[in-house]
């Protein structure tokens, strides 16, 4: 059962049928009668094979990034044994001495809505190159990002949208 996944990781391939996301129309509680499209939770679900391969890829890349000490120690999101509580405690420890001296402290917080869909994929690939990510992982991610599709279906109606962000910019090849 693991052979096809090992082969994909070895060759750097992510088949088209593994990157079709299904987006079920899930309505947020209390917004059932609202006509605004934002009443839906934008949840996209990959098929099981795609999700398993995605998890394997993420684990291998994260292992590489930790092994090479490429990540910043202040990275809290998507980091094992670190949480938003840890990040908040770190901020608290940093600002408490200033507040005790009646100093002024300014903070800024950023939450990117639809971060994956908004991410500039050529920059992600460029960052992987700069991190000297192994070629097989780089090409697997490049394949993972290329020719993605999202399908929304309600009853007998369905709508498919291709999602591709000019991955093949000259700077990345």
């Amino acid at each position: 059962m693991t052979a096809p996944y090992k082969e994909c990781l070895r060759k750097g391939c992510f088949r088209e049928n593994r990157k079709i996301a299904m987006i079920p129309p899930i309505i947020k509680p209390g917004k059932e009668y609202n006509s605004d499209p934002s009443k839906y939770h934008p949840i996209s679900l990959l098929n099981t094979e795609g999700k398993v391969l995605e998890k394997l890829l993420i684990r291998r890349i994260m292992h590489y990034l930790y092994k090479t000490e490429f990540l910043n120690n202040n990275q809290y999101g998507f980091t094992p044994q670190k949480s938003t509580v840890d990040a908040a405690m770190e901020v608290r420890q940093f600002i408490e001495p200033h507040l005790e001296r009646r100093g002024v402290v300014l903070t800024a917080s950023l939450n990117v809505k639809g971060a994956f869909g908004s991410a500039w994929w050529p920059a992600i690939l460029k960052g992987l190159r700069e991190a000297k990510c192994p070629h097989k992982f780089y090409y697997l991610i490049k394949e993972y990002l290329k020719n993605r599709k999202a399908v929304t279906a309600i009853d007998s109606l369905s709508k498919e949208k291709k999602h591709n962000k000019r991955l093949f910019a000259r700077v990345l090849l």
Side-chain angles (χ1 to χ4, degrees):
M1 184 170 172
T2 61
Y5 297 109
K6 286 180 182 178
E7 188 69 9
C8 286
L9 291 169
R10 190 178 67 74
K11 287 185 173 179
C13 66
F14 205 108
R15 291 196 330 242
E16 299 285 322
N17 66 337
R18 290 185 177 155
K19 50 188 171 178
I20 299 171
M22 298 303 294
I23 304 175
I26 300 172
I27 299 173
K28 295 175 184 174
K31 298 198 175 191
E32 293 84 359
Y33 302 105
N34 189 333
S35 62
D36 186 0
S38 69
K39 76 177 183 179
Y40 294 101
H41 282 288
I43 298 170
S44 88
L45 307 169
L46 283 181
N47 64 30
T48 304
E49 287 181 351
K51 201 67 181 164
V52 169
L53 187 55
E54 180 183 75
K55 290 283 187 191
L56 290 171
L57 176 61
I58 289 168
R59 281 189 178 172
R60 292 197 178 189
I61 288 172
M62 293 304 285
H63 174 74
Y64 174 78
L65 293 174
Y66 284 114
K67 184 178 83 175
T68 59
E69 297 180 358
F70 190 78
L71 292 179
N72 187 303
N73 286 335
N74 294 323
Q75 170 75 32
Y76 288 89
F78 307 103
T79 304
Q81 282 84 48
K82 285 191 175 184
S83 69
T84 54
V85 173
D86 295 319
M89 293 302 291
E90 186 78 25
V91 168
R92 181 179 174 198
Q93 287 176 350
F94 180 78
I95 66 171
E96 254 179 356
H98 299 286
L99 294 176
E100 287 171 1
R101 292 192 308 268
R102 298 188 182 267
V104 176
V105 177
L106 297 173
T107 62
S109 178
L110 176 66
N111 181 15
V112 179
K113 184 178 180 180
F116 179 75
S118 302
W120 183 238
W121 297 346
I124 292 170
L125 293 171
K126 184 174 185 254
L128 290 169
R129 284 257 201 225
E130 289 170 359
K132 296 180 176 49
C133 183
H135 293 296
K136 61 185 174 184
F137 297 151
Y138 174 84
Y139 289 113
L140 185 55
I141 290 173
K142 192 172 179 178
E143 283 298 309
Y144 173 76
L145 296 173
K146 186 172 77 172
N147 298 325
R148 298 183 63 78
K149 294 178 189 171
V151 178
T152 302
I154 301 174
D155 297 325
S156 63
L157 300 172
S158 73
K159 176 75 175 170
E160 182 178 297
K161 183 180 178 198
K162 292 182 180 178
H163 195 65
N164 204 359
K165 292 192 180 181
R166 291 182 284 147
L167 290 174
F168 303 104
R170 286 190 183 271
V171 71
L172 299 175
L173 294 176

